[in-house]
Amino acid sequence: MKEIADKFIALAANKKKNEEARSFFLKEIEGEYNPLLWKCYISHMTEKRDRFKKKERIALLGSSNITPVKNMLRSVFDANKISTDYFVGEYGNYLQELMLDGSKLYSFNPTMTIILLSLPDIMPSVYEYPFSHNKKSVDDLLAKLSRDLRTALGKYSSALAKNTTYVAIVPSYEEPCNYVYSPGSSFKSDNYLMKLQDAVESLEKEKNNIVMMNGRRCVSKHPARRIEDKRYWYLGRIRYTDLFFSEVAKELMGLYRIINTPSKKCLILDLDNTLWGGVIGQDGFENIELGQDGIGRAYQDFQREALKLHKKGIILAICSKNNESDAMEFFKTHTEMILKPEHFAAKRINWSDKASNIKDIAREINIGLDSVVFFDDDPAERKWVRDSLPQVTVPEPPQDQFLYAEFLKNSEWFKSYKLSEEDLSRNITYEAIARTKGLKSSSSNEGAFLKSLAQSLTIERVDASTVSRAVQLCQKTNQFNLTTRRYQLADIKDVMSYKLNHVYTIRAKDCFCDYGIVGVLILKGQASDRSLTIDTFLLSCRIIGRKIENVLLDWVKSKAKAEGYARLYGVYSKTEKNAVCANIYKDSGFTVVYRRGRDIKYECSLDKRLGLYPFGKFVKVELKKSRDGKKT
Amino acid sequence: MEKKLKFLIANCCQIEPSDVGDDAGVNATPNWDSFGHLQIMVCVEQEFGVVLDTKTIAQLTSYKDIIRYLKATRKKNGK
């Protein structure tokens, strides 16, 4: 153990090697617990006060003495280049600290609050005098504790909006009734733990700055005697060993990273020796390792992990050096494949270099290279991609291919704290897009393609149930957004207050799926010169390139003409990202009125015959009356 | 053994090993307070492979005490 500490100190002593010292420490603490190494980190690294840009003010509240966790947290945060300041609350006093506005805790003004609770501390009477209790008294006590905890946490999290509170209830090895093997559910530590965790979790759903930490993960890797130590309890009211506190620090750091770093969005996979064992071009299909038993099972498990990620909303893609027809044939004919072609939003199966292919894939599915993870068994390919595209994450997989699935499962890149509805539905859309792309190449002409898609659009006047989605689209749509006006809720309401103005949402559907609301259209009428202006026109990038935009503009033209307007105006304001819609007005028969800076104003006269998009008839457009019954 | 113990105390107390003299102990050495003491004891157990009982932890409050204890233990174990 001292040898490791010595090695660390040598790195820490050399300022040029501090970066190396940090990663050495982070790697070592994943292995066998080494108390000396932790102490060395504090005395050789954090004392240098390399102040980092990123800072956290951390308050520690425990039901017993949790001071040892302070230096350990300081070390792991420092190793991740985050400076930290601490407030350690008086132990056992956490409820009062949380409830009293004027407490030292509030004046410390933390950005992170960590609350570590132990069952024997918070319900001492049950643990000390279990035979004076019965089911009802235990239930009453748990109900009161839950209430108190919820009240205190609720108040605290509302008062300190910038603070995130991490709550952990530590599973107890100690049982209230040790002398009875089966004392009934009222006397089991695990039941208390579950009830109290439920109370915090229900609050966590309401407040976004409360995080429930999994206390079990801090104790489950070690036997009881290495977690609880009565000697320190009697000498210093410290219930747990340093080993336990080091686990807490690591767990918290992991959770902190999950919460504070955006998860990767896309996993690009190689095929040969990654999804299956062997090379299909050389070994022949019958010799490929993939199946229920033996070695093949390891590859199947890896595919299962990738499929789980797909279902969680991670986009999958293929980048492989192969003949595309061979690879696709294998996908189609091999019965043991878990992943199917439709699980991949993009495929680059060819002989060009992988870096260009990856760049292409990212462009195709509209994501940044920094949200891509590329998984390949071949070290040369990994190096090539790493060197040419440093933004892409290229993991170093384990030597042993049997461990690929475990490696993926335990990796950090795709973890998120909660699962959102959007995550779950994302890939349904991407699958549909992938299928429409298949159609596009198989349909020989545009009209046939559009006909086979069977798209239908529903235009609806915005109402209370859809306005928040409209605002969200205004805020986030970058690519197909002609004017990029970032309207807030109040702005939309303002626009709607004038009777010649209309705010519409657009829903899209095709033969594959219902995309939900994918666009916003804001029209402003002017009675004086009988003109209608397209103030905002935006569409989600998921459905660009299927002529919906042309059909919608035609709908606006026809509607304006029918309502007696003489001309239609539209503006294209150029931004860094909206080149995709630069020509939409020109293509739709508008003429330029003027160019001013980034803006081009277009006009379309409605007096003459309207030039409509020829294949528009293949897209169904329906204007739905709003729910409140007003005419739109 | 002496050098290793001083190294260990230094790192627990966040001072230089050269600043840990033979007279080091609770309240005489910076950061060797009741909390620092427990930190030192954790490392002593780990690095010297001993298990200290509660009373011993409470008593080994100086560098000399610890050295004496370690030597006695070593003798008892016949090393």
Side-chain angles (χ1 to χ4, degrees), chain A residues 19 22 26 41-42 45-46 49-58 70-86 111-112 166 252-258 260-261:
Chain A
E19 197 66 37
R22 283 189 192 98
L26 288 174
Y41 194 94
I42 285 290
M45 292 293 283
T46 59
R49 302 272 155 194
D50 263 355
R51 281 291 168 176
F52 300 116
K53 255 192 227 149
K54 217 164 169 209
K55 290 187 175 67
E56 294 288 351
R57 299 171 58 76
I58 303 181
K70 182 175 96 173
N71 276 346
M72 294 180 164
L73 277 175
R74 195 194 288 288
S75 305
V76 284
F77 272 90
D78 187 278
N80 281 287
K81 297 191 164 188
I82 301 163
S83 298
T84 46
D85 283 320
Y86 291 87
T111 55
M112 272 176 89
Y166 295 71
L252 259 167
M253 191 68 232
L255 189 52
Y256 178 89
R257 288 167 63 103
I258 288 174
N260 293 287
T261 38

Side-chain angles (χ1 to χ4, degrees), chain A residues 1 39 43-44 231 235, chain B residues 11 39 45 47 52 54 57:
Chain A
M1 294 278 143
K39 310 283 179 287
S43 59
H44 291 83
R231 296 174 303 169
L235 292 168
Chain B
N11 279 296
Q39 301 285 300
E45 286 195 323
E47 292 300 317
L52 308 170
T54 313
I57 292 176

Side-chain angles (χ1 to χ4, degrees), chain A residues 118-120 127 170-175 189-190 193 216 228 240:
Chain A
S118 309
L119 297 166
Y127 282 83
V170 186
S172 175
Y173 287 108
E174 198 173 322
E175 293 292 345
S189 288
D190 278 355
L193 180 78
R216 195 167 294 283
E228 291 177 354
Y240 305 103

